[in-house]
Amino acid sequence: MDDKTLAQKIVAGVGGKENILSLEHCATRLRFKLKQRVKADAEVLKQTDGIMMVVESGGQFQVVIGNNVSDIYKVVQQEIGLDNETSISNESAANGSTDVVEKDNIFNRFIDIVSGIFTPILGVMAASGILKGLLSLCIACGWLSQDSGTYKLWFAASDALFYFFPIVLGYTAGKKFGGNPFITMAIGGALIHPLVIEAFQQSTLLDAARTDFLGIPITFINYSASVIPIIFAAWVSCLLEKKLQSILHSSIKNLITPLICLMITVPLTFLVIGPIATWVSQMLAEGFLAIYNFAPILAGAFMGAVWQVAVIFGLHWGIIPVSINNLAVLGQDALVPLLLPAVMGQVGATLGVLLATKETKMRLLSGSAVTAGIFGITEPAVYGVTLPLRRPFIFGCIGGSIGGAIVGYSLTLVYSFGLVNVFTFTQIIPETGIDFSVWGAIIGTFIAFAFSTILTYFFGLPKVPVSQSAEVTTSELHIDCQTPDNNTVLSPMSGVAISLNDVPDETFASGLLGQGAAIVPAIGEVRAPFDCEVSSLFKTKHAIGLLGTQGIEVLIHVGIDTVKLNGEYFTAHVKEGDEVKAGDLLVTFDRNSIIEAGYDLTTPIIITNSDEYPDLHIIPQTHSIHAGQPLLSVAKQHTEQ
């Protein structure tokens, strides 16, 4: 599917352009803020080729794309009529939109604000942190001297973003709060202006003269690399700006509004906002440090276990600012090293799948996911490989917990911010050189990686008894169709019956589409499981819907992702509206060709109206099953004797 078609499907899936309040993207996700969630169709998007997963968290409707998210983001912008980063919410307000916007709770609003402020600069933050780490490695190994011109230029490149953080965050915070980002960027610039830095340095001298603003004494603080003060200052400035825009005449507001915002907000920041926000920053950093020092092993085990779960739901944005604040206030952070085993645990689990699976498609998917995971992008691994298979994801979390405990015991620190990836090892090297804390991080991460790889390789994949299905030869594949009663669904194909929980597709395995069972077919035939009407037949012929005379609705979906074959290798022997008897041939397919094309033929048989049949049981006591034998027993309610 080309980018334009995918973008159109995404816009339609979120309820259309008119339902979009704002759009952002991070390393792998499109992050929508919607007016009305009910207009979005997450299930349709989940089944769209090119979309890994849809997550609703932090007040955002998140569409997980993968590493090419920036390309899709640009095309989606074009589809909704934006060629820049203008907020759609502002545009709607200008047009007098009266659509009702669903309210978020405080936590969701916090997550949305934090992600909106830091997402645009996440890439350059990671690059700056990696460059700092590589310079530390060069110094530790004696490859560079701090007095050399090479070191100074590269250090300037790595440190510039963090030194001028108030200016950069002033811009992104201004955009997020709906104000003029250049006003808030100017406020950030005032915080680190040379005159202010000089006044701060002089204020540290005992004989320094007092400085005041209109008679009010000023407490100068070094705001370079600070985070929280400029965010609060930007929020205040944007509130003031919106108020002024509503009361000033249009002929003067474009000039007077920025003037008043600067004249009021900058002094207010130095006198009130800055000192209070700085105190909050210090309390946050010291509070985290106190908790960490109380039980570093427990902290490591906990973060190693839950970090990837937090990433799935987008909740990690509530944790990332803690790390950034620690670096700004303390110059070091103990949180990021604890996350290394969590990331590499999922990479190891994905490698275990790569080594264990025989399916061509899964090998390609897991291979690319391992590469992306090494560099800190775990969404392809989690959404595409470990989470659908369940056990690999659990093994990755357990490995992360074990490794995190070891890293916590080692009291490892990181000295620059960046995505948690293989380069993080260079960012944990202190100025004194490689020590026990560095080796502790390496050992803990390796154990997490090895543990999850080994357990996934031996126990991570569903144990489908292939030997049994291979023993069912063509001569044995007779149609032993029994007369069904009103509570029985016969097997539509011959092969190996497995639990729906073991289907390697989250949508089916989770029961979102209904309860049922699955079969790994040994022959390419689908037969009617009862007397029924063909209620739907997909144009790709890979799936068929049936309505039984007793009211049971069944979906038979041949294979996983076989919709991508566009009907190739499938032949339908019925059409919509046909009435068939139990055992009648419905669809045939070329089993070997589909397998060679890299597709999993596990076939879910779903009772789509299973909410009407709470009493549902799988009948087979053994894995092997023939078409026409009882597969499911369903009942609308238990019959009391």
Side-chain angles (χ1 to χ4, degrees), residues 95 124 181 289 292 448 481 572-573 631 639:
N95 295 333
V124 69
L289 200 58
Y292 174 78
C481 187
H573 298 272
L631 175 66
T639 302

Side-chain angles (χ1 to χ4, degrees), residues 75-91:
V75 182
V76 171
Q77 277 193 313
Q78 295 172 1
E79 288 297 318
I80 60 181
L82 295 178
D83 55 5
N84 51 45
E85 297 180 357
T86 303
S87 173
I88 300 174
S89 56
N90 292 340
E91 185 179 273

Side-chain angles (χ1 to χ4, degrees), residues 51-83:
I51 296 176
M52 294 183 178
M53 179 57 65
V54 174
V55 179
E56 297 175 66
S57 179
Q60 296 177 333
F61 190 87
Q62 304 171 12
V63 181
V64 185
I65 302 295
N67 295 333
N68 64 327
V69 65
S70 60
D71 296 331
I72 303 300
Y73 171 76
K74 295 175 183 177
V75 182
V76 171
Q77 277 193 313
Q78 295 172 1
E79 288 297 318
I80 60 181
L82 295 178
D83 55 5

